[in-house]
Amino acid sequence: KAGVTQTPRYLIKTRGQQVTLSCSPISGHRSVSWYQQTPGQGLQFLFEYFSETQRNKGNFPGRFSGRQFSNSRSEMNVSTLELGDSALYLCASSLGERTYNEQFFGPGTRLTVL
Amino acid sequence: GQQVMQIPQYQHVQEGEDFTTYCNSSTTLSNIQWYKQRPGGHPVFLIQLVKSGEVKKQKRLTFQFGEAKKNSSLHITATQTTDVGTYFCVSYQKVTFGTGTKLQVIP
């Protein structure tokens, strides 16, 4: 089985721009979660989707949004980028309905905001 | 709010020595998961603990969940260079990650 894939792997943007990141879960997985990882804050939860519905949301501003499609693929969008948004964005999928289950992480998208 | 503190932040050990990392929560946890992230890699699931006092073993790794379900530990016996990485605990009640313990193994 193919693992979780994320595109693009690297991205450079400037302040004020917006960005869309994509995640394809493992085949058969219907739950997708997004995380932000930075050296200073560590791993932080952004949101979780199951069957196209957002089930849980972390403590991030409204500039961060996401969605899930009927094929379980997910996208996250960050609008009006700030320097502090530079991070590794990780997507994870799981078989079950909630994040209590084993999470399979993708390789991440490294976003640099200049 | 719920916080999960993880100690130590960094640990350097000689190959063959043991290593332990601890996660402590201010509130009772329904479960806790452990992940390992190699340098430049992504987190990989190791184990999930659910029951009070639970102990699980995976080869040289031993995981424990405290009786009060407020703390957990990961112990590695006789570390190897392949154990290098950052070990995270995570509570999925509020999806809170521990700060991680970065393990360096000196050959």
Side-chain angles (χ1 to χ4, degrees):
Chain A
K1 249 185 195 179
V4 177
T5 56
Q6 292 187 244
T7 56
R9 291 293 310 280
Y10 302 91
L11 206 48
I12 299 175
K13 292 284 188 178
T14 55
R15 278 183 300 175
Q17 287 187 309
Q18 77 164 19
V19 66
T20 299
L21 312 181
S22 181
C23 171
S24 292
I26 291 172
S27 177
H29 286 194
R30 293 165 63 193
S31 175
V32 173
S33 298
W34 288 90
Y35 305 86
Q36 182 196 65
Q37 187 173 35
T38 59
Q41 298 295 319
L43 266 164
Q44 293 185 284
F45 169 70
L46 282 157
F47 20 69
E48 173 201 355
Y49 287 89
F50 181 82
S51 292
E52 302 178 67
T53 302
Q54 188 178 91
R55 293 298 184 94
N56 200 357
K57 190 176 187 303
N59 190 26
F60 277 80
R63 300 185 297 108
F64 291 81
S65 63
R67 59 178 177 168
Q68 186 181 32
F69 302 95
S70 57
N71 61 359
S72 294
R73 192 177 69 83
S74 178
E75 288 181 349
M76 67 163 280
N77 183 276
V78 188
S79 62
T80 320
L81 284 166
E82 300 177 0
L83 295 179
D85 297 333
S86 294
L88 180 67
Y89 289 89
L90 291 160
C91 162
S93 73
S94 66
L95 190 57
E97 185 171 335
R98 302 309 301 269
T99 47
Y100 294 164
N101 300 288
E102 175 181 353
Q103 299 280 295
F104 293 83
F105 283 81
T109 294
R110 173 79 59 188
L111 172 64
T112 302
V113 182
L114 302 175
Chain B
Q2 180 179 304
Q3 290 185 323
V4 178
M5 307 301 294
Q6 194 170 349
I7 54 170
Q9 266 193 298
Y10 302 95
Q11 185 83 57
H12 290 77
V13 299
Q14 288 288 141
E15 189 172 17
E17 289 183 339
D18 292 356
F19 159 77
T20 305
T21 174
Y22 301 89
C23 275
N24 298 299
S25 170
S26 54
T27 58
T28 302
L29 305 171
S30 61
N31 64 13
I32 197 157
Q33 294 182 357
W34 285 91
Y35 288 81
K36 175 185 177 182
Q37 186 172 18
R38 293 181 188 271
H42 56 272
V44 174
F45 176 84
L46 294 175
I47 206 92
Q48 174 166 270
L49 304 172
V50 178
K51 299 176 184 174
S52 167
E54 189 169 16
V55 178
K56 286 189 176 180
K57 293 190 177 185
Q58 288 180 351
K59 296 183 181 177
R60 295 179 294 105
L61 278 60
T62 302
F63 303 85
Q64 287 191 304
F65 203 6
E67 292 290 342
K69 299 181 77 173
K70 285 189 175 184
N71 55 69
S72 181
S73 65
L74 157 59
H75 179 82
I76 302 178
T77 303
T79 54
Q80 299 175 358
T81 54
T82 53
D83 296 325
V84 164
T86 300
Y87 293 84
F88 295 98
C89 62
V90 54
S91 164
Y92 273 101
Q93 275 165 258
K94 301 277 187 182
V95 202
T96 306
F97 283 85
T99 45
T101 296
K102 192 170 183 178
L103 172 64
Q104 188 60 256
V105 178
I106 305 161

